[in-house]
Amino acid sequence: MDIDVESDAPSVTVIVIGYDDAAHVADAVRSALAQGPAVREVIAVDDCSADGSGALLDELAAGERRLTVVHRATNSGGCGTPRNDGIDRASSPYVMFLDSDDVLPPGAVDALLAAAVEHGAQVTAGLCVRRELPSGSEVLWQPELYAKPSAIDRPVDHPRLVHDTLCVNKLYRTDFLRTHAIRFPDGRFVYEDFVFTARVLAAGPRMALIPDRVYVWHVRRAAGKLSLSLDRAGIDNWQARIDAHRAAVEILLGSSQKPLGHASRAHFVDHSLRMYARELDLRGPEYRAAWWTRTRAHLESFDPADLEAAPAPGRVLAHLLLASGTPRDLPRVKELAARPARLLPPYARTPDGTPVWSADLPQVSLAHLLHRPTDLLPLAVDGELRPGARGTQLTLRLHELYGRVADAGPRTVDVELVDRRDGEVVQRRTAEFADGPGSEKPAEDGTWVASTPLDLSSPASRGGTFDLRLRLRFADGTHRDTTAHAVRGPGLLQRVAVPSRRHGILLVQPYATHSGSLAVRTAPGVRGVASVVRRRTGRLFGTRGRG
């Protein structure tokens, strides 16, 4: 196929990369071809698969003139090299990337291409949707960036651009990439997007941002083989993330977009640091020690201003790591790293009354909590959910926080039960906080208590996993949206079979999420209970289900 890349026709080459993904690669390719005539060609690069992916792609290409298949003779070990192969072969004025286990939603290319042409943009970006499978629940990636259409002449004036490190939700001028020799790191390089995106931003492109959904990122956490970025159980993954981030920062600091390098460091503290800190209690002592040491070394390379520019929860965690040579206070670390952040007691002060992380680490100041707006305070709410034959009771205990809670005057808490699959609120309750001895004062244990019954029989008719969302309301008119810390103890967080008028029997399990938040799973009826038992048995004997 002889196509001139310098042609003025606004058309796109979609580069699809895959390795041993015969189960999904055809869907990815078809989603690219289904974009219509704006996609002049699809280049599918098979990274030396051994599962028949290459033959499957050849079969598709035999019936589709726009599809070209590239067979690599050796496996590259990563995603960068096959994407570079695609860039080298692209023959359209614009290029974009698609992974074999993801899809492009209808209209994605037309939306990106129209904005690119209208604004003369060298890079055009849109919304990426993270879709959890098999549940189908969706989370928007960096939605604040794409709230409305915009054109950007100078990336350096928009530091939030560094928050979106993905390469797949963007359309690039092919000549822009080639003129600036912008390529992905070759070989086995995890988080290659970090480096590629930094090279793109360092070149100072004119950019267009659109609110349209342009990419569906499929997240398969139960897959037999996790993607390179999702496989976070080993310390090598964290080291790879640090290495990629360091390389990206060096690229930005060495360019005319230098402020973006400092913004990238602040984002690392707020995003990467908090994400991995939430999972520390899932790892063994050896991993924790290595993670702590390597993270401290990376943070020591940051300018003090980079840390201070990060939002408070991540900034406090960074100062804690720098102040302590060994892992400590991991339950509190996990809760502060949660979203929203929760700061568990104890609440220490220096002799002059300044809030600090602990008495033995007075250099880790929490003084910002004395003047932080109420709706941003890391308030800690303990949650206990007790299913029983007479109903399910939710008890919440709100902790005092350096006098800020008493000053605001807690009044009520709105409780929402949210289906994780689609975000639907399936039940709402409001409970009043009981005052302790004396007006506007907590009880002797430093908490205010609220309790409300939950009717799980109605949401349980659909079964699944439900998150608890809270809105704390105060007498001064302020409020704080948060979640509850799942309390562990005798009789808590256990699977319970309770009678149900609607289903006969209902299996209820309160549990703690990875970030420590209280959530609940339900399985209605005898069939639901049997399904849970089968899945549990399958895990015990090493089998997997897809239901």
Side-chain angles (χ1 to χ4, degrees):
M1 183 167 50
D2 185 14
I3 301 175
D4 182 5
V5 72
E6 300 300 328
S7 169
D8 291 332
S11 60
V12 177
T13 294
V14 179
I15 299 169
V16 183
I17 64 167
Y19 169 66
D20 279 358
D21 198 15
H24 307 115
V25 67
D27 290 337
V29 169
R30 292 189 184 103
S31 77
L33 293 169
Q35 297 295 310
V39 174
R40 183 184 297 185
E41 65 175 349
V42 175
I43 299 177
V45 184
D46 178 56
D47 202 5
C48 197
S49 297
D51 70 341
S53 293
L56 177 60
L57 289 170
D58 287 338
E59 183 179 344
L60 288 173
E64 174 55 68
R65 68 174 185 82
R66 292 182 297 162
L67 175 58
T68 299
V69 181
V70 177
H71 297 279
R72 287 189 50 80
T74 58
N75 178 256
S76 68
C79 297
T81 299
R83 289 198 187 118
N84 289 336
D85 291 343
I87 294 173
D88 292 340
R89 290 168 171 78
S91 58
S92 302
Y94 296 89
V95 65
M96 67 182 300
F97 305 103
L98 172 61
D99 290 348
S100 62
D101 53 350
D102 300 330
V103 294
L104 299 180
V109 169
D110 283 344
L112 288 166
L113 192 55
V117 172
E118 177 184 356
H119 298 290
Q122 293 157 313
V123 179
T124 306
L127 267 175
C128 171
V129 180
R130 285 172 54 102
R131 180 179 294 162
E132 296 275 351
L133 296 176
S135 71
S137 62
E138 294 185 348
V139 177
L140 300 180
W141 174 259
Q142 301 297 333
E144 298 84 0
L145 269 175
Y146 303 105
K148 60 182 180 180
S150 60
I152 296 173
D153 288 323
R154 288 165 35 95
V156 71
D157 295 331
H158 299 268
R160 196 176 183 90
L161 287 170
V162 301
H163 291 201
D164 185 2
T165 54
L166 300 181
C167 72
V168 290
N169 60 328
K170 299 175 180 68
L171 181 72
Y172 306 88
R173 282 285 311 188
T174 308
D175 55 4
F176 167 76
L177 296 180
R178 291 174 178 170
T179 298
H180 294 278
I182 297 172
R183 299 174 68 79
F184 291 88
D186 280 309
R188 184 175 176 79
F189 193 103
V190 187
Y191 303 110
E192 74 290 336
D193 284 25
F194 289 18
V195 175
F196 180 83
T197 300
R199 289 170 176 167
V200 168
L201 293 175
R206 178 170 172 77
M207 299 183 65
L209 308 182
I210 62 175
D212 306 66
R213 297 185 176 206
V214 302
Y215 196 87
V216 179
W217 173 4
H218 286 150
V219 180
R220 297 178 172 90
R221 300 184 191 276
K225 180 181 179 181
L226 291 173
S227 65
L228 295 178
S229 60
L230 282 179
D231 190 7
R232 298 201 295 262
I235 194 63
D236 288 348
N237 177 277
W238 178 237
Q239 186 62 55
R241 195 176 188 97
I242 287 176
D243 293 342
H245 178 256
R246 182 184 294 114
V249 168
E250 290 175 355
I251 291 167
L252 292 169
L253 292 181
S255 73
S256 61
Q257 314 296 312
K258 184 175 181 178
L260 295 183
H262 295 289
S264 180
R265 284 175 171 167
H267 179 57
F268 177 90
V269 171
D270 182 52
H271 179 67
S272 297
L273 177 62
R274 291 177 69 178
M275 177 169 59
Y276 281 73
R278 289 195 294 270
E279 300 176 349
L280 281 177
D281 67 335
L282 303 176
R283 316 299 181 209
E286 184 177 346
Y287 175 98
R288 295 172 187 172
W291 185 91
W292 200 273
T293 298
R294 298 182 191 199
T295 306
R296 289 184 79 231
H298 188 45
L299 293 174
E300 285 170 350
S301 70
F302 289 21
D303 294 345
D306 298 333
L307 295 182
E308 297 312 308
R315 182 175 72 244
V316 171
L317 292 174
H319 285 308
L320 172 63
L321 269 97
L322 291 171
S324 175
T326 57
R328 57 172 289 165
D329 304 332
L330 295 186
R332 296 184 79 204
V333 166
K334 174 179 181 174
E335 297 286 334
L336 189 60
R339 294 186 185 275
R342 299 182 296 263
L343 180 62
L344 298 184
Y347 303 122
R349 293 180 184 265
T350 60
D352 66 1
T354 302
V356 292
W357 180 264
S358 63
D360 63 326
L361 288 180
Q363 65 269 47
V364 183
S365 174
L366 302 179
H368 66 282
L369 297 179
L370 297 180
H371 52 77
R372 193 164 177 79
T374 304
D375 64 344
L376 295 177
L377 285 173
L379 299 180
V381 181
D382 294 337
E384 298 179 9
L385 193 64
R386 294 182 179 272
R390 295 184 178 181
T392 298
Q393 194 71 16
L394 173 66
T395 301
L396 302 169
R397 290 180 172 83
L398 168 62
H399 289 267
E400 178 58 276
L401 186 67
Y402 298 110
R404 295 298 308 279
V405 176
D407 289 344
R411 283 295 176 258
T412 62
V413 54
D414 298 334
V415 180
E416 292 183 341
L417 199 61
V418 184
D419 192 324
R420 189 174 293 177
R421 288 168 296 193
D422 54 17
E424 180 183 351
V425 178
V426 298
Q427 191 169 158
R428 290 184 173 90
R429 292 285 189 272
T430 297
E432 293 185 356
F433 283 109
D435 288 336
S439 177
E440 307 297 348
K441 292 182 179 179
E444 292 182 1
D445 64 355
T447 66
W448 285 264
V449 179
S451 184
T452 183
L454 295 180
D455 178 11
L456 296 181
S457 61
S458 179
S461 62
R462 56 202 292 172
T465 301
F466 303 88
D467 293 312
L468 283 166
R469 293 196 308 221
L470 310 178
R471 172 164 288 187
L472 308 170
R473 297 187 182 275
F474 300 93
D476 64 1
T478 60
H479 69 269
R480 167 60 163 159
D481 293 331
T482 188
T483 54
H485 159 69
V487 178
R488 300 177 185 273
L492 298 173
L493 306 186
Q494 294 181 354
R495 187 179 289 121
V496 179
V498 299
S500 168
R501 292 180 181 178
R502 177 174 299 189
H503 309 289
I505 189 171
L506 178 66
L507 198 63
V508 179
Q509 182 182 17
Y511 77 102
T513 68
H514 282 178
S515 63
S517 299
L518 180 62
V520 60
R521 297 187 184 99
T522 65
V526 176
R527 290 184 179 179
V529 173
S531 175
V532 171
V533 172
R534 284 196 302 271
R535 288 198 297 270
R536 187 174 184 181
T537 303
R539 288 195 295 270
L540 288 174
F541 289 95
T543 60
R544 289 185 179 272
R546 297 183 60 86

